[in-house]
Amino acid sequence: MRTKPSAFSSQLSAPCPIHARFVRMGGRPASYFAMACVLLIAGCRQDMQNQPKMIPQRGSEMFADHRGSRPQVEATVARGQQNEDSYFYTGVIQGANGYREERDEMPFPVTIEVLKRGQERFNIYCTPCHSRVGNGLGEIVDRGYKPAANLMDQVRLAQPVSHYFYVMTHGYGSMPDYSGQLTPADRWAVAAYIRALQLSQAKGTSADVPSGVQVRSLSSVAEEEHHPEYAQPWTLPATAVQAYKPIGSEGTPGMAPANPADPAIKIPHTNPAPEGQKPAAQK
């Protein structure tokens, strides 16, 4: 007795359409495949790898001296390194005896815009340690960090304005450098604002005030702003690493305790060399 074949068995017995097509084409697909392989192999050459090019720190036949790395063209300056030895970029000059010297002068005019920029940058990067009035009792000092430099003590008041630029550029003691956060122009703006803080609180006199300008005391301003505690004596928090007694002779704002002077950055000063005579370092 014969049974009707199922659909599944019919599919198994049916010839493969792709195989049938290959057979009808007389085996030509095999020749096409072989031809494709030949073309692929022919195109796989080493010209792309061995092409003429310059590889740094390797020899090269491209140049007469057979060096891949080319020497710097004479009298050229790399991008971003213009005037690296100038006062604007370093904050120091070369003295007559060859040593570096700081100067109490700005490399550009100080305008109200410069001071506002310096105040903004100072409040962002400097106040956590030095506080907004510059007395070295910032918020992180209140949380156990070493007291920062009191910008109102006699040592800092005597330092030239470029000293602050130099410290911001290179760091000093527990203070890291801020050359990555502050451009040279911003560092000078902060230095100018520090000098303005000193003039307003500890270094300035009535002679520095233009005629007709009214000067108000810190206590009156604090009363007007409803914060009389701002004019009260500052106290160093017990959480600070070092607790120093206040030094009244320092003349700090609100009689804030002044930290003992850290070792100063000593850069020898010298008189200018006589006219027509070169400094010792340039001979």
Side-chain angles (χ1 to χ4, degrees):
M1 180 176 179
R2 301 180 63 183
T3 60
K4 184 179 180 181
S6 64
F8 180 72
S9 60
S10 299
Q11 292 178 0
L12 291 178
S13 61
C16 175
I18 299 177
H19 176 73
R21 185 178 179 184
F22 282 179
V23 172
R24 287 196 304 270
M25 295 177 68
R28 280 182 294 175
S31 62
Y32 291 160
F33 178 76
M35 184 178 298
C37 292
V38 171
L39 293 176
L40 181 62
I41 295 174
C44 187
R45 300 177 59 185
Q46 296 296 315
D47 291 345
M48 292 296 292
Q49 180 178 351
N50 297 331
Q51 62 179 313
K53 59 184 176 182
M54 185 191 71
I55 301 177
Q57 307 301 329
R58 290 191 185 181
S60 173
E61 298 296 330
M62 188 181 301
F63 304 101
D65 58 3
H66 303 293
R67 292 190 299 174
S69 297
R70 309 311 303 145
Q72 186 174 351
V73 179
E74 188 177 357
T76 59
V77 179
R79 180 177 299 175
Q81 297 181 357
Q82 306 94 324
N83 302 322
E84 286 292 344
D85 58 341
S86 70
Y87 182 68
F88 175 80
Y89 286 94
T90 63
V92 294
I93 63 172
Q94 184 176 2
N97 58 1
Y99 288 97
R100 296 176 301 176
E101 293 183 2
E102 296 171 343
R103 287 294 176 92
D104 195 25
E105 61 185 42
M106 292 284 292
F108 51 82
V110 178
T111 62
I112 189 63
E113 288 74 19
V114 171
L115 291 177
K116 287 182 177 180
R117 177 66 177 181
Q119 181 185 38
E120 179 198 34
R121 299 290 96 180
F122 182 89
N123 289 341
I124 292 174
Y125 294 107
C126 307
T127 57
C129 296
H130 296 276
S131 83
R132 292 211 171 194
V133 295
N135 63 357
L137 304 181
E139 289 296 325
I140 66 170
V141 176
D142 195 17
R143 288 158 174 78
Y145 197 73
K146 179 182 178 181
N150 186 349
L151 301 176
M152 305 301 156
D153 64 23
Q154 297 302 316
V155 174
R156 275 78 189 188
L157 291 175
Q159 288 167 338
V161 67
S162 71
H163 173 79
Y164 305 114
F165 177 92
Y166 189 89
V167 171
M168 283 183 278
T169 304
H170 301 282
Y172 184 69
S174 298
M175 173 181 167
D177 72 87
Y178 281 81
S179 57
Q181 294 87 345
L182 298 170
T183 64
D186 282 346
R187 275 173 261 163
W188 281 114
V190 171
Y193 179 70
I194 291 175
R195 182 64 85 220
L197 276 179
Q198 294 171 335
L199 289 173
S200 67
Q201 299 179 58
K203 192 175 183 179
T205 63
S206 57
D208 299 321
V209 182
S211 59
V213 177
Q214 182 182 4
V215 179
R216 302 177 59 188
S217 64
L218 176 62
S219 59
S220 64
V221 175
E223 290 286 349
E224 181 180 318
E225 296 294 332
H226 306 291
H227 287 285
E229 68 276 8
Y230 288 171
Q232 300 301 318
W234 296 83
T235 58
L236 189 66
T239 54
V241 175
Q242 303 177 39
Y244 303 124
K245 295 181 179 180
I247 303 177
S249 61
E250 297 289 353
T252 55
M255 299 311 295
N259 305 332
D262 293 330
I265 300 177
K266 295 182 179 179
I267 300 178
H269 289 261
T270 181
N271 295 325
E275 186 175 354
Q277 179 180 351
K278 291 184 178 181
Q282 300 180 3
K283 291 181 178 180

